[in-house]
Amino acid sequence: MADIAVFIERYTVTRSEEMGALMRLGQVAQRLGHRLDVLFRPDMYKIPDYDALFIRALTDPLNSAYVAARMAELHGLRVIDDPDSIVTCCDKVNMYSHLRRAGVPIPETAFLRPSELTPERGRELLRDMGSPLVLKAPYSSFSMYVDRVSEPLDFVSLSRRYLRRADLVVAQRFVPSEFDWRVCVLAGEPLFVCRYMIPKKRWKVLSYMANGRVVYGDVQSVPVARVNPRVLEVATCAAAAIGRGLYGVDLKQVGDEYVVIEVNDNPTINAAEEDVSAPHVYERVIRYLVGEWG
Ligand SMILES: Nc1ncnc2c1ncn2[C@@H]1O[C@H](COP(=O)(O)OP(=O)(O)O)[C@@H](O)[C@H]1O
Ligand SMILES: [Mg+2]
Protein backbone atom coordinates (compact mmCIF):
# COMPACT_ATOMS: atom_id res chain seq x y z
CA MET A 1 0.00 0.00 0.00
CA ALA A 2 1.28 3.47 -0.91
CA ASP A 3 0.44 6.98 0.28
CA ILE A 4 -0.20 9.24 -2.69
CA ALA A 5 -0.52 13.00 -2.51
CA VAL A 6 -2.22 15.13 -5.16
CA PHE A 7 -1.12 18.76 -5.07
CA ILE A 8 -3.89 21.10 -6.20
CA GLU A 9 -4.76 24.77 -6.12
CA ARG A 10 -8.30 26.12 -5.62
CA TYR A 11 -8.70 26.77 -9.36
CA THR A 12 -7.91 23.12 -10.10
CA VAL A 13 -11.36 22.14 -8.92
CA THR A 14 -13.51 24.96 -10.23
CA ARG A 15 -15.00 22.83 -13.02
CA SER A 16 -16.97 19.68 -12.30
CA GLU A 17 -14.93 17.80 -14.95
CA GLU A 18 -11.74 18.50 -12.99
CA MET A 19 -13.37 17.52 -9.71
CA GLY A 20 -14.72 14.38 -11.40
CA ALA A 21 -11.25 13.32 -12.51
CA LEU A 22 -9.88 13.80 -8.98
CA MET A 23 -12.68 11.71 -7.53
CA ARG A 24 -12.11 8.94 -10.05
CA LEU A 25 -8.42 8.97 -9.18
CA GLY A 26 -9.25 8.66 -5.47
CA GLN A 27 -11.64 5.76 -6.09
CA VAL A 28 -9.13 3.88 -8.23
CA ALA A 29 -6.35 4.42 -5.68
CA GLN A 30 -8.58 3.00 -2.98
CA ARG A 31 -9.63 0.02 -5.11
CA LEU A 32 -5.95 -0.78 -5.68
CA GLY A 33 -5.31 -0.59 -1.93
CA HIS A 34 -3.61 2.80 -1.72
CA ARG A 35 -4.37 6.02 0.11
CA LEU A 36 -4.77 9.28 -1.78
CA ASP A 37 -4.87 12.69 -0.12
CA VAL A 38 -5.31 16.10 -1.64
CA LEU A 39 -2.79 18.72 -0.54
CA PHE A 40 -3.25 22.46 -0.90
CA ARG A 41 -0.41 24.97 -0.69
CA PRO A 42 -0.41 25.26 3.12
CA ASP A 43 -0.05 21.43 3.37
CA MET A 44 3.07 21.35 1.23
CA TYR A 45 5.33 20.63 4.21
CA LYS A 46 3.65 17.18 4.42
CA ILE A 47 5.01 16.07 1.04
CA PRO A 48 7.97 14.14 2.57
CA ASP A 49 5.45 11.89 4.40
CA TYR A 50 4.18 10.47 1.09
CA ASP A 51 5.45 7.89 -1.41
CA ALA A 52 4.30 9.73 -4.54
CA LEU A 53 3.11 13.14 -5.68
CA PHE A 54 0.77 13.97 -8.56
CA ILE A 55 0.53 17.66 -9.44
CA ARG A 56 -2.74 19.03 -10.78
CA ALA A 57 -2.05 22.76 -10.79
CA LEU A 58 -0.38 25.23 -13.13
CA THR A 59 3.25 24.21 -13.32
CA ASP A 60 5.68 27.03 -13.87
CA PRO A 61 9.10 27.38 -12.25
CA LEU A 62 7.72 30.48 -10.50
CA ASN A 63 4.68 28.66 -9.04
CA SER A 64 4.25 26.68 -5.83
CA ALA A 65 3.60 23.57 -7.94
CA TYR A 66 7.25 23.65 -8.97
CA VAL A 67 8.38 23.91 -5.36
CA ALA A 68 6.17 20.90 -4.61
CA ALA A 69 7.79 18.96 -7.48
CA ARG A 70 11.29 19.82 -6.28
CA MET A 71 10.43 18.87 -2.73
CA ALA A 72 9.06 15.54 -3.88
CA GLU A 73 12.14 14.79 -5.95
CA LEU A 74 14.46 15.77 -3.12
CA HIS A 75 12.69 13.34 -0.77
CA GLY A 76 12.73 10.49 -3.27
CA LEU A 77 9.01 10.43 -4.11
CA ARG A 78 7.74 9.35 -7.54
CA VAL A 79 6.48 12.59 -9.00
CA ILE A 80 4.37 13.77 -11.93
CA ASP A 81 5.43 16.31 -13.15
CA ASP A 82 9.12 16.06 -12.37
CA PRO A 83 10.90 19.41 -12.01
CA ASP A 84 13.07 18.97 -15.12
CA SER A 85 10.04 18.40 -17.34
CA ILE A 86 8.39 21.50 -15.86
CA VAL A 87 11.47 23.61 -16.64
CA THR A 88 11.75 22.29 -20.21
CA CYS A 89 8.07 22.55 -21.14
CA CYS A 90 7.48 26.04 -19.75
CA ASP A 91 9.96 27.52 -22.23
CA LYS A 92 9.14 26.94 -25.88
CA VAL A 93 12.70 27.65 -27.00
CA ASN A 94 13.98 24.98 -24.64
CA MET A 95 11.13 22.58 -25.55
CA TYR A 96 11.62 22.95 -29.35
CA SER A 97 15.40 22.62 -28.92
CA HIS A 98 14.85 19.22 -27.26
CA LEU A 99 12.55 18.16 -30.12
CA ARG A 100 15.00 19.32 -32.79
CA ARG A 101 17.92 17.48 -31.18
CA ALA A 102 15.82 14.30 -31.14
CA GLY A 103 14.87 14.74 -34.81
CA VAL A 104 11.15 15.13 -34.04
CA PRO A 105 9.27 16.87 -36.90
CA ILE A 106 8.09 20.40 -36.01
CA PRO A 107 6.81 23.20 -38.26
CA GLU A 108 9.56 25.39 -39.71
CA THR A 109 10.65 27.46 -36.70
CA ALA A 110 13.06 30.32 -35.96
CA PHE A 111 14.16 31.77 -32.63
CA LEU A 112 14.49 35.52 -33.04
CA ARG A 113 16.96 37.72 -31.16
CA PRO A 114 16.04 41.28 -30.17
CA SER A 115 18.16 42.71 -33.02
CA GLU A 116 16.06 40.74 -35.53
CA LEU A 117 12.72 42.35 -34.66
CA THR A 118 12.79 44.73 -37.61
CA PRO A 119 10.42 45.26 -40.58
CA GLU A 120 13.11 43.91 -42.94
CA ARG A 121 13.45 40.64 -41.00
CA GLY A 122 9.65 40.47 -40.78
CA ARG A 123 9.34 40.81 -44.55
CA GLU A 124 11.97 38.11 -45.03
CA LEU A 125 10.22 35.68 -42.66
CA LEU A 126 6.80 36.33 -44.24
CA ARG A 127 8.36 35.56 -47.60
CA ASP A 128 10.28 32.45 -46.50
CA MET A 129 7.79 30.89 -44.06
CA GLY A 130 4.64 32.23 -45.67
CA SER A 131 1.92 34.58 -44.53
CA PRO A 132 0.42 34.66 -41.99
CA LEU A 133 3.34 33.92 -39.71
CA VAL A 134 2.82 32.57 -36.19
CA LEU A 135 4.63 34.33 -33.34
CA LYS A 136 4.92 32.95 -29.81
CA ALA A 137 6.32 34.20 -26.56
CA PRO A 138 8.45 31.38 -25.10
CA TYR A 139 6.49 31.38 -21.81
CA SER A 140 3.04 31.17 -23.44
CA SER A 141 0.45 28.69 -22.26
CA PHE A 142 -3.30 28.38 -22.93
CA SER A 143 -2.71 30.19 -26.27
CA MET A 144 -2.25 33.38 -24.30
CA TYR A 145 0.82 34.74 -26.15
CA VAL A 146 0.47 33.10 -29.55
CA ASP A 147 -0.77 35.14 -32.51
CA ARG A 148 -0.46 35.58 -36.27
CA VAL A 149 0.91 38.50 -38.27
CA SER A 150 0.85 39.20 -41.99
CA GLU A 151 2.45 42.66 -42.12
CA PRO A 152 6.08 43.54 -41.34
CA LEU A 153 5.02 46.37 -39.00
CA ASP A 154 2.67 44.07 -37.06
CA PHE A 155 5.53 41.61 -36.86
CA VAL A 156 7.67 44.27 -35.17
CA SER A 157 5.05 45.45 -32.68
CA LEU A 158 3.87 41.97 -31.65
CA SER A 159 7.32 40.41 -31.44
CA ARG A 160 8.60 43.35 -29.35
CA ARG A 161 5.65 42.94 -27.00
CA TYR A 162 6.43 39.21 -26.61
CA LEU A 163 10.07 40.00 -25.97
CA ARG A 164 9.32 42.08 -22.89
CA ARG A 165 9.56 39.08 -20.56
CA ALA A 166 11.88 36.89 -22.67
CA ASP A 167 15.23 36.87 -24.51
CA LEU A 168 13.91 35.28 -27.71
CA VAL A 169 10.68 35.17 -29.71
CA VAL A 170 9.50 32.10 -31.62
CA ALA A 171 8.45 32.53 -35.27
CA GLN A 172 6.77 29.56 -36.93
CA ARG A 173 5.20 28.57 -40.21
CA PHE A 174 1.39 28.62 -39.96
CA VAL A 175 -0.03 25.10 -40.28
CA PRO A 176 -3.80 25.27 -40.84
CA SER A 177 -5.98 22.50 -39.43
CA GLU A 178 -9.48 21.80 -38.15
CA PHE A 179 -8.18 20.29 -34.92
CA ASP A 180 -5.07 19.56 -32.89
CA TRP A 181 -4.29 15.94 -32.16
CA ARG A 182 -3.61 15.54 -28.44
CA VAL A 183 -1.71 12.40 -27.59
CA CYS A 184 -1.15 11.97 -23.88
CA VAL A 185 1.95 9.88 -23.17
CA LEU A 186 2.88 8.30 -19.85
CA ALA A 187 6.20 6.53 -19.31
CA GLY A 188 6.77 6.33 -23.05
CA GLU A 189 3.37 4.85 -23.93
CA PRO A 190 0.26 6.52 -25.37
CA LEU A 191 -2.31 6.89 -22.59
CA PHE A 192 -5.17 8.50 -24.51
CA VAL A 193 -5.83 10.42 -27.70
CA CYS A 194 -8.19 13.32 -28.33
CA ARG A 195 -9.01 15.76 -31.05
CA TYR A 196 -9.09 19.29 -29.73
CA MET A 197 -11.41 20.93 -32.23
CA ILE A 198 -10.78 24.49 -33.38
CA PRO A 199 -13.94 26.63 -33.15
CA LYS A 200 -15.39 27.98 -36.40
CA LYS A 201 -13.77 31.18 -37.72
CA ARG A 202 -10.83 30.73 -35.31
CA TRP A 203 -7.43 29.16 -35.71
CA LYS A 204 -6.60 28.27 -32.10
CA VAL A 205 -8.22 25.71 -29.82
CA LEU A 206 -8.64 28.51 -27.29
CA SER A 207 -9.20 32.20 -28.12
CA TYR A 208 -9.77 35.22 -25.94
CA MET A 209 -12.29 37.83 -27.04
CA ALA A 210 -11.91 41.55 -26.35
CA ASN A 211 -14.92 41.33 -24.00
CA GLY A 212 -13.13 38.74 -21.87
CA ARG A 213 -15.09 35.77 -23.21
CA VAL A 214 -13.05 32.62 -23.87
CA VAL A 215 -13.95 30.56 -26.95
CA TYR A 216 -12.88 26.93 -27.03
CA GLY A 217 -13.63 23.91 -29.12
CA ASP A 218 -14.98 20.44 -28.40
CA VAL A 219 -12.87 17.63 -27.03
CA GLN A 220 -13.37 14.42 -29.02
CA SER A 221 -11.90 11.39 -27.34
CA VAL A 222 -10.59 8.75 -29.78
CA PRO A 223 -9.58 5.17 -28.89
CA VAL A 224 -5.79 4.75 -29.19
CA ALA A 225 -6.30 1.64 -31.34
CA ARG A 226 -8.19 3.66 -33.96
CA VAL A 227 -5.49 6.28 -34.50
CA ASN A 228 -2.92 6.24 -37.32
CA PRO A 229 0.15 4.57 -35.72
CA ARG A 230 2.34 7.34 -37.17
CA VAL A 231 0.69 9.99 -34.89
CA LEU A 232 1.46 7.78 -31.91
CA GLU A 233 5.02 7.23 -33.09
CA VAL A 234 5.75 10.94 -33.55
CA ALA A 235 4.05 11.77 -30.24
CA THR A 236 5.98 9.16 -28.24
CA CYS A 237 9.26 10.37 -29.79
CA ALA A 238 8.36 13.94 -28.81
CA ALA A 239 7.55 12.89 -25.24
CA ALA A 240 10.77 10.87 -25.02
CA ALA A 241 12.73 13.97 -26.08
CA ILE A 242 11.50 15.66 -22.87
CA GLY A 243 11.42 12.83 -20.32
CA ARG A 244 9.75 9.67 -19.00
CA GLY A 245 6.76 11.24 -17.23
CA LEU A 246 3.28 12.39 -18.29
CA TYR A 247 2.98 14.68 -21.32
CA GLY A 248 0.30 16.07 -23.59
CA VAL A 249 1.71 16.19 -27.10
CA ASP A 250 -0.12 18.45 -29.59
CA LEU A 251 0.29 17.66 -33.27
CA LYS A 252 -1.05 18.78 -36.61
CA GLN A 253 -1.39 16.67 -39.70
CA VAL A 254 0.39 17.90 -42.86
CA GLY A 255 -0.41 15.57 -45.74
CA ASP A 256 0.61 12.12 -44.54
CA GLU A 257 3.02 13.44 -41.92
CA TYR A 258 2.56 14.95 -38.46
CA VAL A 259 4.33 17.90 -36.90
CA VAL A 260 4.56 18.55 -33.18
CA ILE A 261 3.21 21.94 -32.13
CA GLU A 262 3.93 21.52 -28.46
CA VAL A 263 4.75 19.12 -25.65
CA ASN A 264 2.93 20.09 -22.46
CA ASP A 265 3.70 18.87 -19.00
CA ASN A 266 0.70 18.61 -16.65
CA PRO A 267 -1.74 17.76 -19.46
CA THR A 268 -5.45 18.17 -18.83
CA ILE A 269 -7.30 15.03 -17.77
CA ASN A 270 -10.96 15.87 -17.28
CA ALA A 271 -13.72 13.42 -16.48
CA ALA A 272 -16.17 12.92 -19.37
CA GLU A 273 -13.72 14.62 -21.76
CA GLU A 274 -10.18 13.21 -22.11
CA ASP A 275 -11.11 9.92 -20.37
CA VAL A 276 -14.12 8.97 -22.51
CA SER A 277 -12.31 6.43 -24.73
CA ALA A 278 -9.65 5.74 -22.10
CA PRO A 279 -11.29 4.73 -18.82
CA HIS A 280 -7.99 3.12 -17.78
CA VAL A 281 -6.17 6.47 -17.47
CA TYR A 282 -6.67 6.75 -13.72
CA GLU A 283 -5.42 3.23 -13.03
CA ARG A 284 -2.34 3.81 -15.22
CA VAL A 285 -1.51 7.04 -13.40
CA ILE A 286 -1.85 5.34 -10.01
CA ARG A 287 0.24 2.34 -11.10
CA TYR A 288 2.93 4.69 -12.39
CA LEU A 289 2.91 6.71 -9.16
CA VAL A 290 3.28 3.63 -6.95
CA GLY A 291 6.12 2.32 -9.11
CA GLU A 292 4.31 -0.74 -10.54
CA TRP A 293 4.57 0.56 -14.05
CA GLY A 294 6.90 2.73 -16.11
N1 LIG B 1 2.51 26.88 -36.32
C1 LIG B 1 1.21 26.86 -36.04
N2 LIG B 1 0.28 26.80 -37.03
C2 LIG B 1 -1.03 26.78 -36.76
N3 LIG B 1 -1.55 26.84 -35.53
C3 LIG B 1 -0.68 26.89 -34.49
C4 LIG B 1 0.73 26.92 -34.69
N4 LIG B 1 1.33 26.99 -33.49
C5 LIG B 1 0.34 27.00 -32.57
N5 LIG B 1 -0.87 26.95 -33.16
C6 LIG B 1 -2.16 26.90 -32.46
O1 LIG B 1 -2.21 27.89 -31.47
C7 LIG B 1 -2.66 27.38 -30.22
C8 LIG B 1 -1.62 27.60 -29.14
O2 LIG B 1 -0.34 27.14 -29.55
P1 LIG B 1 0.77 26.58 -28.58
O3 LIG B 1 2.05 26.61 -29.30
O4 LIG B 1 0.34 25.28 -28.03
O5 LIG B 1 0.85 27.68 -27.43
P2 LIG B 1 0.38 27.59 -25.90
O6 LIG B 1 1.48 26.92 -25.17
O7 LIG B 1 0.18 29.01 -25.49
O8 LIG B 1 -0.86 26.76 -25.83
C9 LIG B 1 -2.99 25.90 -30.48
O9 LIG B 1 -4.37 25.75 -30.68
C10 LIG B 1 -2.24 25.58 -31.73
O10 LIG B 1 -2.89 24.63 -32.52
MG1 LIG C 1 -0.65 24.66 -26.16
Side-chain angles (χ1 to χ4, degrees):
M1 158 172 171
D3 289 329
I4 304 165
V6 182
F7 178 81
I8 67 169
E9 300 269 10
R10 293 236 303 271
Y11 57 73
T12 311
V13 286
T14 50
R15 292 183 62 217
S16 64
E17 291 82 358
E18 295 166 332
M19 196 61 207
L22 266 183
M23 288 169 66
R24 286 291 297 135
L25 202 68
Q27 287 161 356
V28 171
Q30 196 176 31
R31 176 165 59 74
L32 297 174
H34 308 297
R35 211 181 80 206
L36 184 139
D37 295 334
V38 165
L39 302 186
F40 284 93
R41 222 183 290 174
D43 312 315
M44 245 163 63
Y45 70 93
K46 296 179 188 159
I47 287 174
D49 300 341
Y50 288 86
D51 302 305
L53 179 71
F54 185 38
I55 296 173
R56 294 282 86 190
L58 293 182
T59 48
D60 181 296
L62 298 174
N63 288 357
S64 317
Y66 179 70
V67 179
R70 286 290 298 245
M71 227 166 129
E73 189 182 63
L74 198 69
H75 288 90
L77 279 72
R78 298 268 284 181
V79 57
I80 299 176
D81 316 280
D82 63 278
D84 289 346
S85 295
I86 294 176
V87 168
T88 307
C89 292
C90 81
D91 171 7
K92 291 190 191 305
V93 172
N94 193 345
M95 184 261 302
Y96 287 131
S97 302
H98 276 74
L99 297 182
R100 272 186 179 160
R101 272 199 297 276
V104 174
I106 62 172
E108 196 179 339
T109 301
F111 303 142
L112 308 177
R113 281 169 283 113
S115 62
E116 290 181 87
L117 309 185
T118 62
E120 294 70 39
R121 184 71 174 121
R123 210 166 287 123
E124 204 173 271
L125 287 163
L126 285 160
R127 186 193 62 210
D128 298 345
M129 290 197 197
S131 178
L133 179 71
V134 176
L135 295 179
K136 305 184 185 190
Y139 50 81
S140 178
S141 59
F142 298 101
S143 301
M144 205 71 101
Y145 304 99
V146 171
D147 215 336
R148 298 187 302 187
V149 292
S150 28
E151 298 293 337
L153 289 180
D154 295 338
F155 163 83
V156 173
S157 56
L158 185 68
S159 58
R160 290 202 178 151
R161 180 144 65 80
Y162 284 172
L163 195 72
R164 257 179 240 156
R165 282 168 47 210
D167 315 326
L168 296 166
V169 173
V170 177
Q172 201 166 62
R173 180 185 286 280
F174 175 60
V175 184
S177 70
E178 282 170 21
F179 58 86
D180 284 1
W181 283 107
R182 161 58 63 92
V183 180
C184 186
V185 179
L186 175 61
E189 282 180 47
L191 186 59
F192 62 79
V193 178
C194 293
R195 288 194 198 102
Y196 285 166
M197 304 308 293
I198 296 173
K200 281 201 182 66
K201 295 192 222 150
R202 313 257 163 241
W203 64 279
K204 295 190 286 189
V205 165
L206 241 168
S207 330
Y208 303 87
M209 304 294 102
N211 64 8
R213 205 162 66 89
V214 185
V215 179
Y216 44 86
D218 286 345
V219 177
Q220 296 179 354
S221 176
V222 185
V224 172
R226 290 237 308 272
V227 178
N228 182 336
R230 181 63 188 155
V231 196
L232 304 177
E233 191 188 355
V234 176
T236 47
C237 287
I242 310 295
R244 289 285 299 166
L246 178 72
Y247 307 97
V249 183
D250 294 333
L251 311 98
K252 288 193 192 280
Q253 187 165 357
V254 184
D256 294 334
E257 193 42 277
Y258 297 87
V259 288
V260 174
I261 295 292
E262 189 183 24
V263 181
N264 297 278
D265 67 306
N266 209 258
T268 304
I269 304 175
N270 283 343
E273 290 179 344
E274 281 79 2
D275 68 357
V276 171
S277 301
H280 56 267
V281 337
Y282 305 102
E283 182 165 337
R284 290 260 208 107
V285 168
I286 296 292
R287 289 198 186 281
Y288 176 91
L289 287 169
V290 303
E292 282 175 14
W293 187 71

